Amino acid sequence: ANPYDSLGEVQAFSGHYEEAFQNLNRALALKPDFFESYGHLGVAYEGMGDYPKAIENYLRGALECVIDGRRGDFLSQALRVAFRSGDKAAYHKVVQKVAELPRNKQSELMNGYVEVVTSLLDGQPAEAERRLKELRPKLEASFNQEMKGSPYKPYFPRWNTLMSLAKARQGKTDEAMALDEETINPP
């Protein structure tokens, strides 16, 4: 299953959706519990604009995937697609699944992002900005612990993107554009 999944993943991210569907479904036919393939199907469905199916597959991949990091990635993607599509019911369904994650540093950070996006969805960009400012030290602490001794500088594109959106929705266009520039051109 793994070679078909890997090929399907690359095809999904490359915009070759029909080929991706074929290979990811082959992976699942060989090994129905190869749950990462569901997350990769989510990528393909998202690329095709079928957001309900993207969310459904991201959730299935996340809830049954045994790799904790991948589980969080798929849940983040489901949240992003639900937010982007404006489907509040789907968004709240994903939020419920995030709340069910075992408590650890990753889930704590993810819950912080959930609160930010919920504030944005509810039309409260100032509250989203406040929550992001509270989240930043936690992100930096996590980065410093994981990357101790690394020459890399902290870079949080998800944080930047959400802060940019919060600032733009408050009319702080110059600040929003500066954050977008930093996201596009990382340190």
Side-chain angles (χ1 to χ4, degrees):
N2 193 29
Y4 286 117
D5 175 72
S6 295
L7 180 57
E9 178 183 14
V10 169
Q11 291 166 327
F13 279 110
S14 300
H16 299 279
Y17 306 120
E18 292 305 322
E19 295 93 338
F21 288 130
Q22 290 173 0
N23 284 306
L24 293 168
N25 285 318
R26 282 183 188 144
L28 289 167
L30 289 169
K31 193 168 190 296
D33 62 348
F34 203 77
F35 293 108
E36 285 197 33
S37 292
Y38 288 106
H40 301 143
L41 281 169
V43 172
Y45 280 117
E46 180 183 354
M48 293 187 69
D50 190 339
Y51 300 133
K53 284 188 180 176
I55 293 166
E56 173 187 327
N57 280 282
Y58 283 140
L59 280 176
R60 184 155 186 199
L63 299 179
E64 304 196 48
C65 192
V66 296
I67 303 168
D68 286 342
R70 181 61 87 181
R71 180 177 302 186
D73 290 347
F74 289 154
L75 282 172
S76 292
Q77 289 169 302
L79 279 170
R80 182 181 44 75
V81 172
F83 176 71
R84 193 169 123 202
S85 69
D87 186 341
K88 286 189 178 187
Y91 177 79
H92 289 295
K93 179 180 177 182
V94 179
V95 167
Q96 180 65 35
K97 298 303 179 187
V98 170
E100 295 171 8
L101 283 175
R103 292 289 164 234
N104 58 32
K105 285 182 184 178
Q106 182 182 4
S107 66
E108 181 182 330
L109 293 174
M110 181 169 247
N111 281 318
Y113 279 123
V114 165
E115 291 172 357
V116 168
V117 174
T118 301
S119 296
L120 288 169
L121 270 176
D122 291 341
Q124 301 173 346
E127 178 63 16
E129 182 176 354
R130 184 189 70 73
R131 290 177 185 270
L132 281 163
K133 286 178 179 175
E134 289 177 355
L135 186 60
R136 183 67 185 223
K138 294 175 185 175
L139 288 168
E140 290 172 350
S142 178
F143 177 88
N144 290 334
Q145 183 178 16
E146 290 177 23
M147 303 297 285
K148 196 172 203 167
S150 167
Y152 295 108
K153 295 182 180 186
Y155 173 61
F156 309 113
R158 183 180 302 150
W159 187 94
N160 280 14
T161 301
L162 289 170
M163 183 61 90
S164 172
L165 188 55
K167 288 189 179 285
R169 289 188 176 176
Q170 295 176 78
K172 301 175 183 177
T173 311
D174 291 341
E175 292 176 53
M177 289 174 62
L179 284 162
D180 288 337
E181 181 67 29
E182 183 181 317
T183 303
I184 294 168
N185 299 304

